[in-house]
Amino acid sequence: MDPKNLKRRDFLSLMGLSTGLPLLQSPLQVLIEAIVLGAQQKAMAQSLGISPRKYLHILQQGAPPRWTFDLFLTPYSSTGFVPNAQLGTTYVHSSGSTSVAYTTTVKKNINVPALWQFNVPAANGGTRNMDPLLDNLLQLRGIEVGNPDHGAAQELQFVPLGAAQSMSALSADASNAPIPGVNLSLDQYQFKSKAAKAAITVPNGSNMLSTLLSPFVRTNSSSFEVKRKALGPALDASIALLNQAAEAQNAGAASLTTSAKAASDLLSKGFGDLNSIWTNLYNKYNSLATRSLDPTQSLPGINDQVITPDGSTLFQIDGTLITGNDLRGMITTSTRVSRLAEHFAVAEYVLLNNLSDSISIGPGSLSGLTVNNSSQGLGADEHTTSANVSLILNSYMNLAYAACLLELIDQLKAKNIFNETVIVMGGEFGRSPRKDATGSDHGYLGSSSSIYCGALSGPLVLGNIYNLKGQSDADAGTWGRGAPVNELGRALNQGDWASTIAFLLRVPSPTTAATSLLTSATDGSISSLIEKARQV
Amino acid sequence: MKSIACVTATGFLTLSYNACSKLNGFNVLDSADTSSLGSSIGEGPLAANQLAAGKDLYEKNCALCHGTLAVSTKLGKSAFEITQAIATVPSMTSLQSLTSEQVAQIALALNTNILSLRNDAGASTRLLISNRYLLASQLNELFVASSNLDSNDTSIQTTINSLIMNHAEGFGGNCSRNDPGCVANPCANNGTCRGKLNSSENAEVNPSSSPVRKGYLIQACEKILTIDKSVGNLGLKASIDITQSPDLSTLNSLALFVFRELPPDSSVINQLLTLATTAKSGGMAPLDQWRFVMLALCQSSSMDLL
């Protein structure tokens, strides 16, 4: 048989190559995989008429405690609140000892943690209050997460209750943005798409934008480029006709034509000087974070008095007993929030430039702390970080997060897309504080999530919690353990969370286990279908 | 539409694309096998053969434990997963006599139903496109010399590796934790597998149409064809004299060679001639005229399609 006259697929059977290595498949296996997995569906937007909101997921891996910042324990009433010695928002200094207490301030007519009284740095060099975050906040609390294990719980953030479609693919599947999904190196990131799309993972590095955009940045020699551009129209016409012929053979090839056009447009347009773009964005967020961590700023109730360790486990960080005279010395000008500036820089660029409608980022915890005269970080998973240490460190850290969030939201507003963006922030579970004030454990029966969207009129807190019930004997008190909601007859679960987010994204829920907690009226206003948050 | 290179593995991280003699040592399919048998998945005669074989093998070897094919508890399993199960599940070790081709046929049968289920989600067409393995081997077959590779050929292979093979997120194709095509485990994050792969696990990434895919392919074609030797290699394989300007006949030969199953459309050939003529009147030599004709073919959707 003349090889030239053999049909292509016959080659595959003829070669029958099998290497024995699972990753180097025989041609038949390759063919099968392509047949099985190459199914490409028309964008759901076309078939279902969906126009999704953008999705930014901020997952703080390790699950830091949230009660100093965006977990509101007594938003509408503090009746029946039961303190827990690990859980505090301000220090209590009495002669010879330090402890913490849960104190709140009133903002936007609700009780929020004391931290909200402080200003944070603004991008223009001044400061600002944190109130605008409340204007568009929906907080879900008392969420029962099925699993106490970090990895498994993080997976549930992406694929709750074994859903067939991941949270990260909800908007992506209905979107025409050039990059279906972006993952900034979240360990357990999942992208289960119903439209056979795939996401890009960008590793942490020196210019994450360049890495992300590398499919769309030409690096040809100038001599080649001169010729290519000279032939532009004729080349385009040839490719167009070839694509038409391909579509005649397989109607699904229309999606290839669409993808090629999008890629070609980006390749032609270019992005400008990505190095300086990156530098400017990074510097902006890094400056906000660094200024938020300024140890000299005045934070009454947090850093206005000496915090003297006593050598016991009441003053430990990740199990290390702290020595010295003053815990406030842990925060120095070298202190940073890992990955915060980088990930917010990428998020801003991706969202503002319509590169993707789904981006998941994983900024971290504090690094560069001075502990016992050496440098170390704070692990988010604060099993053995005592109340006295956790309070000051998380207060500073959350100021940095708040500053960056406010700036990002400002940028979205300026571009008129905050109404079209849903930001979801939290850890894989909450934390259950130990009554002995030595640390906190995995609060998988009381997780919380903060959701910001311009279309939301906030603040709105949903989800009931117990005043006294712990997750174990160690942690009784009001910390966020989920309690039944009247309309549901049970505490919130991740099905409620996922369906509510899907509702806000304007896409079908990935799970049938629960429905949205929100509904919208004919005038577009969004309201809750369940009672406001209570402590029971 | 594309000729497929022989991919010889010399190691996981470095594939050497040695062109091999396509008919040596293989059983040539009887011509009856290439007749159109119709196909339950609508893709050509060979696939229909394989599917029938797979269904038969499944019913004989698997149905007793896992249910008949239509309601199998193993729908959607990949050839890799089946191989692993045979190797590790005690009651399945007798199946080790199955060849890898037979396992692949069973996998085809297990996945064909899944395919139609996916389509029920609202789409109307199926698109079969190459994953990174297929695409890389196609580009290798077209642009790398058949023998006596020199440094230019190595450069072409390097381009194929860096822009195609290393991008499972753009092109799909299964991969593992240590695969250079997976940066920070994106293979673990796509497709149907769970979060983190351990060192022996495999992930399956969907080949899909996306601007990311096309961006890399567009760039790969340009980078490859920047190298003069690529033009010469393809010309040689297509029996074309690239020192002469393209004409209708030689363009026809090229298109027929590159896209075997797609009879060249005369309007396409005419347009390619226009492209070549434009290059020529712009002062470009035949080498460049051919270069950009080949670029058009490379960057078209036909290069993606199965």
Side-chain angles (χ1 to χ4, degrees):
Chain A
M1 285 170 111
D2 180 355
K4 269 194 189 173
N5 289 330
L6 279 173
K7 292 194 186 310
R8 168 176 34 86
R9 294 194 184 109
D10 299 337
F11 267 117
L12 297 178
S13 75
L14 284 178
M15 290 193 298
L17 206 64
S18 177
T19 63
L21 295 175
L23 293 156
L24 296 167
Q25 303 137 310
S26 74
L28 176 60
Q29 288 173 310
V30 168
L31 169 66
I32 288 167
E33 193 178 291
I35 287 174
V36 165
L37 298 175
Q40 175 65 39
Q41 303 178 341
K42 276 186 190 167
M44 276 191 183
Q46 290 172 280
S47 54
L48 299 176
I50 289 172
S51 153
R53 285 196 168 102
K54 298 171 192 292
Y55 179 62
L56 168 60
H57 184 197
I58 306 170
L59 178 60
Q60 291 172 274
Q61 300 168 102
R66 311 203 73 79
W67 48 74
T68 60
F69 177 43
D70 67 349
L71 167 59
F72 304 161
L73 296 172
T74 57
Y76 305 110
S77 162
S78 58
T79 304
F81 176 84
V82 176
N84 175 303
Q86 175 69 22
L87 195 158
T89 56
T90 50
Y91 285 98
V92 178
H93 299 275
S94 53
S95 55
S97 77
T98 309
S99 59
V100 304
Y102 185 71
T103 58
T104 58
T105 184
V106 177
K107 293 278 184 180
K108 308 279 178 180
N109 293 321
I110 65 168
N111 300 315
V112 294
L115 194 71
W116 288 80
Q117 70 188 282
F118 301 124
N119 282 353
V120 294
N124 62 8
T127 62
R128 61 190 304 177
N129 65 47
M130 293 159 56
D131 296 12
L133 285 176
L134 296 171
D135 288 337
N136 306 102
L137 168 65
L138 163 68
Q139 186 180 111
L140 302 180
R141 52 170 216 174
I143 302 172
E144 289 182 346
V145 169
N147 202 300
D149 169 65
H150 286 289
Q154 285 167 20
E155 277 192 47
L156 292 172
Q157 288 281 308
F158 298 107
V159 186
L161 308 177
Q165 189 186 21
S166 65
M167 299 303 291
S168 47
L170 291 180
S171 291
D173 278 351
S175 164
N176 291 317
I179 303 174
V182 180
N183 165 34
L184 299 193
S185 284
L186 285 161
D187 285 346
Q188 303 297 336
Y189 179 84
Q190 305 278 307
F191 191 86
K192 286 174 75 170
S193 164
K194 278 186 167 176
K197 296 190 181 185
I200 296 184
T201 291
V202 183
N204 297 312
S206 53
N207 187 333
M208 296 171 75
L209 279 186
S210 286
T211 307
L212 175 66
L213 298 173
S214 59
F216 310 119
V217 177
R218 279 193 165 98
T219 55
N220 295 329
S221 69
S222 51
S223 57
F224 182 90
E225 280 297 290
V226 163
K227 295 177 197 169
R228 187 186 66 77
K229 285 175 183 169
L231 291 174
L235 203 45
D236 289 345
S238 302
I239 293 171
L241 269 182
L242 282 160
N243 289 350
Q244 273 181 35
E247 287 177 41
Q249 206 232 351
N250 185 328
S255 69
L256 284 168
T257 306
T258 308
S259 295
K261 169 127 197 354
S264 187
D265 286 349
L266 286 172
L267 281 160
S268 303
K269 190 185 76 168
F271 301 95
D273 179 355
L274 277 175
N275 282 328
S276 65
I277 290 171
W278 169 256
T279 301
N280 289 337
L281 277 171
Y282 169 80
N283 285 345
K284 177 174 78 167
Y285 284 105
N286 190 48
S287 167
L288 288 172
T290 307
R291 288 159 56 208
S292 300
L293 299 169
D294 177 7
T296 68
Q297 68 185 300
S298 170
L299 303 171
I302 308 289
N303 69 358
D304 54 337
Q305 294 190 48
V306 174
I307 309 166
T308 307
D310 65 7
S312 76
T313 52
L314 293 176
F315 293 88
Q316 62 177 355
I317 177 172
D318 293 326
T320 300
L321 300 182
I322 302 175
T323 57
N325 298 322
D326 190 352
L327 287 192
R328 296 179 299 175
M330 287 190 291
I331 315 265
T332 71
T333 52
S334 302
T335 305
R336 296 284 180 274
V337 181
S338 302
R339 305 185 295 282
L340 181 63
E342 294 90 331
H343 286 205
F344 269 73
V346 176
E348 178 183 312
Y349 191 81
V350 166
L351 293 171
L352 261 53
N353 289 282
N354 293 310
L355 289 170
S356 179
D357 286 340
S358 169
I359 170 165
S360 302
I361 69 176
S365 190
L366 292 172
S367 65
L369 299 167
T370 298
V371 177
N372 300 345
N373 292 318
S374 63
S375 176
Q376 76 173 65
L378 169 68
D381 190 25
E382 296 185 12
H383 291 286
T384 48
T385 296
S386 44
N388 289 321
V389 178
S390 177
L391 171 53
I392 186 170
L393 295 181
N394 281 283
S395 295
Y396 274 104
M397 185 180 84
N398 286 322
L399 288 175
Y401 269 94
C404 291
L405 262 175
L406 283 160
E407 169 60 17
L408 176 63
I409 289 173
D410 275 356
Q411 292 298 323
L412 296 171
K413 286 176 178 172
K415 200 88 186 223
N416 224 8
I417 57 175
F418 186 42
N419 276 18
E420 289 298 304
T421 306
V422 178
I423 302 173
V424 177
M425 177 162 159
E428 61 266 29
F429 34 61
R431 293 209 81 81
S432 54
R434 298 179 188 172
K435 288 182 298 193
D436 65 7
T438 61
S440 59
D441 300 305
H442 298 176
Y444 58 93
L445 293 180
S447 189
S448 67
S449 180
S450 289
I451 302 170
Y452 303 91
C453 174
L456 283 168
S457 180
L460 175 62
V461 185
L462 300 177
N464 293 344
I465 64 176
Y466 285 107
N467 270 321
L468 183 54
K469 194 171 183 178
Q471 188 170 275
S472 70
D473 290 339
D475 60 22
T478 312
W479 62 266
R481 160 84 190 245
V485 167
N486 280 340
E487 291 82 355
L488 302 174
R490 55 164 175 79
L492 296 190
N493 64 28
Q494 286 192 304
D496 304 311
W497 172 81
S499 294
T500 302
I501 292 170
F503 165 82
L504 286 170
L505 293 175
R506 289 196 297 252
V507 298
S509 174
T511 174
T512 53
T515 53
S516 170
L517 300 172
L518 302 175
T519 187
S520 56
T522 44
D523 66 356
S525 62
I526 296 172
S527 58
S528 172
L529 289 166
I530 63 171
E531 55 173 332
K532 284 198 312 196
R534 280 187 298 123
Q535 293 78 253
V536 311
Chain B
M1 315 260 274
K2 291 145 286 296
S3 57
I4 309 297
C6 295
V7 176
T8 310
T10 57
F12 171 47
L13 291 180
T14 55
L15 296 182
S16 76
Y17 298 95
N18 297 319
C20 54
S21 171
K22 294 181 181 61
L23 297 178
N24 284 350
F26 303 119
N27 293 325
V28 177
L29 277 185
D30 189 90
S31 59
D33 289 325
T34 65
S35 64
S36 172
L37 298 174
S39 164
S40 56
I41 55 174
E43 315 330 321
L46 176 67
N49 265 339
Q50 304 289 357
L51 179 62
K55 284 180 173 177
D56 188 59
L57 283 165
Y58 177 88
E59 295 298 342
K60 284 181 173 139
N61 294 289
C62 318
L64 194 63
C65 296
H66 298 301
T68 194
L69 187 60
V71 294
S72 171
T73 55
K74 298 300 172 183
L75 288 176
K77 288 298 177 188
S78 68
F80 181 75
E81 288 172 300
I82 297 170
T83 304
Q84 284 215 303
I86 290 173
T88 57
V89 176
S91 55
M92 288 178 66
T93 51
S94 62
L95 298 176
Q96 281 165 7
S97 57
L98 289 173
T99 65
S100 61
E101 172 148 355
Q102 288 175 314
V103 170
Q105 288 165 342
I106 294 171
L108 180 62
L110 284 169
N111 283 279
T112 300
N113 288 343
I114 293 287
L115 201 58
S116 57
L117 284 173
R118 283 181 182 165
N119 287 337
D120 288 340
S124 59
T125 57
R126 275 198 312 251
L127 176 68
L128 304 184
I129 51 179
S130 305
N131 63 24
R132 62 189 177 131
Y133 296 102
L134 260 179
L135 194 53
S137 69
Q138 288 155 14
L139 293 171
N140 185 80
E141 170 71 5
L142 292 172
F143 295 112
V144 175
S146 303
S147 59
N148 301 321
L149 277 64
D150 65 17
S151 61
N152 289 307
D153 294 295
T154 310
S155 295
I156 296 167
Q157 289 176 331
T158 301
T159 296
I160 293 170
N161 272 345
S162 66
L163 287 175
I164 308 292
M165 277 300 291
N166 282 356
H167 292 286
E169 82 282 12
F171 297 99
N174 72 359
C175 49
S176 77
R177 184 183 180 89
N178 297 314
D179 191 317
C182 298
V183 177
N185 297 327
C187 294
N189 305 322
N190 295 327
T192 58
C193 71
R194 64 184 185 282
K196 259 192 166 154
L197 294 179
N198 63 35
S199 56
S200 62
E201 282 176 308
N202 226 335
E204 305 214 24
V205 184
N206 300 332
S208 59
S209 169
S210 77
V212 172
R213 175 196 181 94
K214 294 306 291 191
Y216 281 125
L217 183 55
I218 287 170
Q219 289 193 65
C221 295
E222 290 171 6
K223 281 256 177 305
I224 290 168
L225 285 160
T226 298
I227 301 170
D228 291 351
K229 182 114 193 278
S230 69
V231 184
N233 288 337
L234 180 51
L236 197 61
K237 295 174 196 230
S239 302
I240 289 165
D241 180 0
I242 60 163
T243 65
Q244 302 301 310
S245 287
D247 59 31
L248 288 176
S249 169
T250 49
L251 286 170
N252 206 60
S253 296
L254 178 67
L256 195 62
F257 178 80
V258 175
F259 301 134
R260 285 168 196 259
E261 285 186 11
L262 184 67
D265 186 302
S266 62
S267 65
V268 167
I269 300 300
N270 281 322
Q271 176 55 44
L272 290 174
L273 183 63
T274 302
L275 173 59
T277 309
T278 307
K280 182 175 179 181
S281 53
M284 296 187 205
L287 177 67
D288 276 333
Q289 296 165 33
W290 281 112
R291 186 194 317 275
F292 287 97
V293 163
M294 292 172 181
L295 184 66
L297 297 179
C298 186
Q299 291 180 335
S300 73
S301 301
S302 299
M303 186 56 65
D304 291 278
L305 289 180
L306 262 189

